[in-house]
Coordinates of all heavy atoms in Angstrom, one line a residue:
A1800 N 57.9 -95.7 -19.9 CA 56.7 -94.9 -19.8 C 56.8 -93.6 -20.6 O 57.7 -92.9 -20.4 CB 56.3 -94.6 -18.4
L1801 N 55.9 -93.4 -21.5 CA 55.8 -92.2 -22.3 C 54.4 -91.7 -22.1 O 53.4 -92.3 -22.5 CB 56.1 -92.4 -23.8 CG 55.9 -91.2 -24.7 CD1 56.8 -90.1 -24.3 CD2 56.1 -91.6 -26.2
E1802 N 54.2 -90.5 -21.5 CA 52.9 -89.9 -21.3 C 52.3 -89.5 -22.6 O 52.7 -88.5 -23.2 CB 53.0 -88.8 -20.3 CG 51.6 -88.3 -19.9 CD 51.7 -87.2 -18.8 OE1 52.5 -87.3 -17.9 OE2 51.0 -86.2 -19.0
L1803 N 51.4 -90.3 -23.1 CA 50.8 -90.0 -24.4 C 49.6 -89.1 -24.3 O 49.4 -88.2 -25.2 CB 50.3 -91.3 -25.1 CG 51.4 -92.3 -25.5 CD1 50.8 -93.5 -26.2 CD2 52.4 -91.6 -26.5
T1804 N 48.8 -89.2 -23.3 CA 47.6 -88.4 -23.2 C 47.5 -87.8 -21.8 O 48.3 -88.1 -20.9 CB 46.3 -89.2 -23.5 OG1 46.1 -90.1 -22.4 CG2 46.4 -90.0 -24.8
L1805 N 46.5 -86.9 -21.7 CA 46.3 -86.2 -20.4 C 45.7 -87.2 -19.4 O 45.7 -87.0 -18.2 CB 45.3 -85.1 -20.5 CG 45.9 -83.9 -21.4 CD1 44.7 -82.9 -21.6 CD2 47.0 -83.2 -20.7
R1806 N 45.2 -88.3 -19.9 CA 44.6 -89.4 -19.0 C 45.6 -90.6 -19.0 O 45.4 -91.6 -19.7 CB 43.3 -89.8 -19.6 CG 42.5 -90.7 -18.7 CD 41.2 -91.2 -19.3 NE 40.4 -91.9 -18.3 CZ 39.4 -92.7 -18.6 NH1 39.0 -92.8 -19.9 NH2 38.7 -93.3 -17.7
T1807 N 46.6 -90.5 -18.1 CA 47.5 -91.5 -18.0 C 47.0 -92.6 -17.1 O 46.6 -92.4 -16.0 CB 48.8 -91.0 -17.3 OG1 49.3 -89.9 -18.1 CG2 49.9 -92.0 -17.2
R1808 N 46.9 -93.8 -17.7 CA 46.3 -95.0 -17.0 C 47.3 -96.2 -17.1 O 47.9 -96.4 -18.1 CB 45.0 -95.4 -17.6 CG 44.0 -94.2 -17.6 CD 42.7 -94.7 -18.4 NE 41.9 -95.5 -17.6 CZ 41.0 -96.4 -18.1 NH1 40.9 -96.5 -19.4 NH2 40.2 -97.1 -17.4
G1809 N 47.3 -97.0 -16.0 CA 48.1 -98.2 -16.0 C 47.1 -99.4 -16.1 O 45.9 -99.3 -16.0
L1810 N 47.7 -100.6 -16.3 CA 46.9 -101.8 -16.4 C 46.1 -102.0 -15.1 O 45.0 -102.6 -15.2 CB 47.7 -103.0 -16.8 CG 48.3 -103.0 -18.2 CD1 49.3 -104.1 -18.4 CD2 47.2 -103.1 -19.2
D1811 N 46.6 -101.6 -14.0 CA 45.9 -101.8 -12.8 C 44.6 -101.0 -12.8 O 43.6 -101.4 -12.1 CB 46.7 -101.3 -11.6 CG 47.9 -102.3 -11.3 OD1 47.7 -103.5 -11.6 OD2 48.9 -101.9 -10.7
D1812 N 44.5 -99.9 -13.5 CA 43.3 -99.1 -13.6 C 42.2 -99.7 -14.4 O 41.1 -99.3 -14.3 CB 43.6 -97.7 -14.2 CG 44.6 -96.9 -13.3 OD1 44.3 -96.8 -12.1 OD2 45.6 -96.3 -13.8
V1813 N 42.5 -100.7 -15.2 CA 41.5 -101.4 -16.0 C 41.3 -102.8 -15.5 O 40.5 -103.5 -16.2 CB 41.9 -101.4 -17.5 CG1 41.9 -100.0 -18.0 CG2 43.2 -102.0 -17.8
T1814 N 41.9 -103.2 -14.4 CA 41.7 -104.5 -13.9 C 40.3 -104.7 -13.3 O 39.9 -103.8 -12.5 CB 42.7 -104.9 -12.9 OG1 44.0 -104.8 -13.4 CG2 42.6 -106.3 -12.3
P1815 N 39.5 -105.7 -13.6 CA 38.2 -105.9 -13.0 C 38.3 -106.0 -11.5 O 39.2 -106.6 -11.0 CB 37.7 -107.2 -13.7 CG 38.5 -107.4 -14.9 CD 39.9 -106.8 -14.6
A1816 N 37.4 -105.3 -10.9 CA 37.3 -105.3 -9.4 C 38.6 -104.9 -8.7 O 38.9 -105.4 -7.7 CB 36.9 -106.8 -8.9
A1817 N 39.3 -104.0 -9.4 CA 40.5 -103.5 -8.8 C 40.2 -102.7 -7.6 O 39.1 -102.0 -7.5 CB 41.3 -102.7 -9.8
P1818 N 41.0 -102.7 -6.5 CA 40.7 -101.9 -5.4 C 40.7 -100.4 -5.7 O 41.4 -100.0 -6.6 CB 41.9 -102.2 -4.4 CG 43.0 -102.7 -5.3 CD 42.3 -103.4 -6.4
V1819 N 39.8 -99.7 -5.1 CA 39.6 -98.3 -5.5 C 40.6 -97.3 -4.9 O 40.8 -96.2 -5.3 CB 38.2 -97.8 -5.1 CG1 37.2 -98.6 -5.9 CG2 38.0 -97.9 -3.6
A1820 N 41.3 -97.8 -3.9 CA 42.3 -96.9 -3.2 C 43.4 -96.5 -4.1 O 44.0 -97.4 -4.7 CB 42.8 -97.5 -1.9
A1821 N 43.8 -95.2 -4.2 CA 44.9 -94.8 -5.0 C 46.2 -95.2 -4.2 O 46.2 -95.3 -3.0 CB 44.9 -93.3 -5.1
P1822 N 47.3 -95.6 -4.9 CA 48.5 -95.9 -4.3 C 49.0 -94.7 -3.5 O 49.0 -93.6 -3.9 CB 49.4 -96.2 -5.4 CG 48.8 -95.6 -6.6 CD 47.4 -95.5 -6.4
A1823 N 49.4 -95.0 -2.3 CA 50.0 -93.9 -1.4 C 51.5 -93.9 -1.4 O 52.1 -94.9 -1.7 CB 49.5 -94.2 0.0
A1824 N 52.0 -92.7 -1.2 CA 53.5 -92.6 -1.2 C 54.1 -93.3 0.0 O 55.2 -93.7 -0.1 CB 53.8 -91.1 -1.2
R1825 N 53.4 -93.4 1.1 CA 54.0 -94.0 2.3 C 53.9 -95.5 2.3 O 53.2 -96.1 1.4 CB 53.3 -93.5 3.6 CG 51.9 -93.9 3.6 CD 51.3 -93.7 5.0 NE 50.0 -94.3 5.1 CZ 49.4 -94.7 6.2 NH1 50.1 -94.6 7.3 NH2 48.2 -95.3 6.2
T1826 N 54.5 -96.2 3.2 CA 54.4 -97.6 3.3 C 53.0 -97.9 3.9 O 52.5 -97.2 4.8 CB 55.4 -98.1 4.3 OG1 56.7 -97.8 3.8 CG2 55.3 -99.6 4.5
A1827 N 52.3 -98.9 3.3 CA 50.9 -99.2 3.7 C 50.9 -99.6 5.1 O 51.8 -100.2 5.7 CB 50.4 -100.2 2.8
A1828 N 49.8 -99.2 5.8 CA 49.6 -99.6 7.2 C 49.6 -101.1 7.3 O 48.9 -101.8 6.5 CB 48.3 -98.9 7.7
A1829 N 50.2 -101.6 8.4 CA 50.2 -103.0 8.7 C 48.8 -103.4 9.1 O 48.2 -102.8 10.0 CB 51.2 -103.4 9.7
V1830 N 48.3 -104.5 8.5 CA 47.0 -105.0 8.9 C 47.2 -106.3 9.6 O 47.9 -107.2 9.1 CB 46.1 -105.3 7.6 CG1 44.8 -105.9 8.0 CG2 45.9 -104.0 6.9
P1831 N 46.7 -106.4 10.9 CA 47.0 -107.6 11.7 C 46.5 -108.9 10.9 O 45.5 -108.9 10.2 CB 46.1 -107.4 12.9 CG 46.0 -105.9 13.0 CD 45.9 -105.4 11.6
D1832 N 47.3 -110.0 11.1 CA 46.9 -111.3 10.5 C 45.8 -112.0 11.3 O 44.9 -112.6 10.8 CB 48.1 -112.2 10.5 CG 49.2 -111.7 9.5 OD1 48.7 -111.1 8.5 OD2 50.4 -111.9 9.7
S1833 N 45.9 -111.8 12.6 CA 44.9 -112.4 13.5 C 43.5 -111.7 13.3 O 43.4 -110.5 13.4 CB 45.3 -112.3 15.0 OG 44.2 -112.5 15.8
L1834 N 42.5 -112.5 13.1 CA 41.1 -112.0 12.8 C 40.6 -111.2 14.0 O 40.2 -110.0 13.9 CB 40.2 -113.1 12.5 CG 38.7 -112.6 12.1 CD1 38.7 -111.6 11.0 CD2 37.9 -113.8 11.7
P1835 N 40.7 -111.7 15.3 CA 40.3 -110.9 16.4 C 41.0 -109.6 16.5 O 40.4 -108.5 16.8 CB 40.5 -111.8 17.6 CG 40.5 -113.2 17.0 CD 41.1 -113.1 15.7
E1836 N 42.4 -109.6 16.3 CA 43.2 -108.4 16.4 C 42.8 -107.4 15.3 O 42.7 -106.2 15.5 CB 44.6 -108.8 16.3 CG 45.2 -109.5 17.5 CD 46.7 -109.8 17.3 OE1 47.3 -109.2 16.4 OE2 47.2 -110.6 18.0
L1837 N 42.5 -108.0 14.1 CA 42.1 -107.1 13.0 C 40.8 -106.4 13.3 O 40.6 -105.2 13.1 CB 41.9 -107.9 11.7 CG 41.5 -107.2 10.5 CD1 42.4 -106.1 10.1 CD2 41.3 -108.2 9.3
I1838 N 39.8 -107.1 13.9 CA 38.5 -106.4 14.2 C 38.7 -105.4 15.3 O 38.2 -104.3 15.1 CB 37.5 -107.5 14.6 CG1 37.2 -108.5 13.5 CG2 36.2 -106.9 15.1 CD1 36.3 -109.7 13.9
V1839 N 39.4 -105.7 16.3 CA 39.6 -104.7 17.4 C 40.4 -103.5 16.8 O 40.1 -102.4 17.2 CB 40.4 -105.4 18.5 CG1 40.8 -104.4 19.6 CG2 39.6 -106.5 19.2
R1840 N 41.4 -103.8 16.0 CA 42.2 -102.7 15.4 C 41.3 -101.8 14.6 O 41.4 -100.5 14.7 CB 43.3 -103.3 14.6 CG 44.2 -102.3 13.8 CD 45.1 -101.5 14.8 NE 46.0 -100.7 14.0 CZ 46.6 -99.6 14.6 NH1 46.3 -99.2 15.8 NH2 47.5 -98.9 13.9
A1841 N 40.5 -102.3 13.8 CA 39.6 -101.5 12.9 C 38.7 -100.6 13.8 O 38.5 -99.4 13.5 CB 38.8 -102.4 12.0
R1842 N 38.2 -101.2 14.8 CA 37.3 -100.4 15.6 C 38.0 -99.3 16.4 O 37.5 -98.2 16.5 CB 36.5 -101.3 16.6 CG 35.5 -102.2 15.9 CD 34.9 -103.2 16.8 NE 33.9 -104.0 16.1 CZ 33.4 -105.2 16.6 NH1 33.9 -105.7 17.7 NH2 32.5 -105.8 15.9

Side-chain angles (χ1 to χ4, degrees):
L1801 173 63
E1802 188 175 315
L1803 290 182
T1804 70
L1805 296 173
R1806 190 185 185 194
T1807 304
R1808 305 172 76 203
L1810 290 171
D1811 288 334
D1812 294 314
V1813 293
T1814 301
V1819 298
R1825 66 167 188 154
T1826 303
V1830 176
D1832 292 328
S1833 163
L1834 182 57
E1836 288 180 17
L1837 177 59
I1838 296 172
V1839 171
R1840 175 71 172 157
R1842 289 171 178 165

